[in-house]
């Protein structure tokens, strides 16, 4: 595993964007696995900045997102499709038909998940998967205790996840109770994995995930078994790894 440190969030974001941009330059038609959440926003902003300067071309890039709330349409401002459009896709020269997010409006969970697995296969797999890291070690919506062997599946969101997400909604009842997410197996099949972490509040889980035992109780710990993982964090998040 490679570890890179930025002094602060901006420095971390720039280093992560450097790694993604190198992937795009080396393979212009690469398949990028993307993540939502507050941590990657700075990385996306930096990629947009380089695109605007003419340094990056996204016209052949394909993207596959980790997850989506079940029951939300892509034009709902709390959906992950909306998030990706706002923070990245609407700001670069990517073709929307080459950007994939699980279909939150597909009520048949088995169908939705199989269709998404088929998309990943059709695209030839993921060249680089970007991941954030939850306080309890979750990646995507793969919560502690889940099975490592799962591909895309429907999950019931935990109370802690609903609690963490309710700030984005008008009231707690509006927070979806289920989501479609790539499973650990899907994530581990990516050729390269890039994990971004920021803030002192992530320091404990970073250490636990990357130096502790590999266990479903800390989903991100399985990344220790992948042969090409890069961890990029700011000084605060990596403080217990130094």
């Amino acid at each position: 595993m490679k570890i890179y440190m930025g002094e602060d969030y901006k420095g971390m974001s720039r280093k992560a964007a450097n790694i993604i941009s190198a992937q795009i330059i080396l393979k212009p038609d690469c398949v990028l696995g993307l993540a939502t959440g507050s941590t990657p926003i700075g990385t996306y902003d930096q990629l947009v900045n380089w695109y605007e300067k003419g340094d990056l071309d996204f016209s052949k890039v394909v993207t596959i997102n980790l997850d989506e709330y079940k029951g939300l349409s892509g034009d709902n401002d709390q959906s992950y499709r909306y998030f990706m459009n706002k923070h990245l896709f609407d700001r670069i020269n990517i073709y929307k038909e080459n950007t994939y997010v699980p279909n939150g409006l597909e009520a048949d969970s088995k169908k939705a998940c199989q269709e998404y697995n088929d998309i990943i296969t059709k695209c030839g797999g993921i060249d680089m998967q970007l991941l954030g890291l939850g306080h309890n070690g979750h990646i995507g919506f793969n919560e502690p205790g889940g099975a490592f062997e799962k591909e895309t599946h429907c999950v019931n969101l935990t109370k802690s996840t609903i609690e963490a997400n309710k700030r984005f909604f008008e009231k707690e009842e509006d927070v979806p109770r289920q989501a479609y997410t790539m499973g650990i197996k899907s994530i581990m099949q990516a050729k390269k994995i890039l994990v971004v972490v920021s803030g002192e509040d992530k320091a404990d889980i970073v250490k636990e995930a990357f130096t502790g035992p590999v266990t479903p109780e800390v989903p991100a710990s399985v990344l220790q078994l992948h042969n090409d993982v890069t961890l990029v964090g700011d000084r605060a998040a990596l403080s217990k790894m130094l």
Side-chain angles (χ1 to χ4, degrees), residues 9-46:
Y9 177 76
K10 187 175 181 181
M12 177 277 294
S13 299
R14 187 179 178 88
K15 286 180 185 296
N18 259 320
I19 293 167
I20 296 171
S21 64
Q23 174 67 58
I24 296 168
I25 291 165
L26 287 170
K27 187 181 180 185
D29 60 347
C30 65
V31 179
L32 297 178
L34 298 181
T36 54
S38 55
T39 309
I41 290 175
T43 300
Y44 294 149
D45 285 343
Q46 183 63 69

Side-chain angles (χ1 to χ4, degrees), residues 68-73 76 78-80 104 141 155-158 161-163 165-166 168-169 171-180:
E68 179 60 284
Y69 286 119
K70 184 178 180 181
L72 294 192
S73 66
N76 184 301
Q78 295 305 324
S79 74
Y80 290 155
F141 274 120
V155 294
N156 296 316
L157 303 187
T158 62
T161 297
I162 292 169
E163 183 69 24
N165 290 346
K166 74 177 185 182
F168 301 116
F169 292 83
K171 49 189 186 297
E172 188 186 313
E173 305 90 82
D174 295 339
V175 184
R177 265 42 185 178
Q178 291 183 307
Y180 293 129

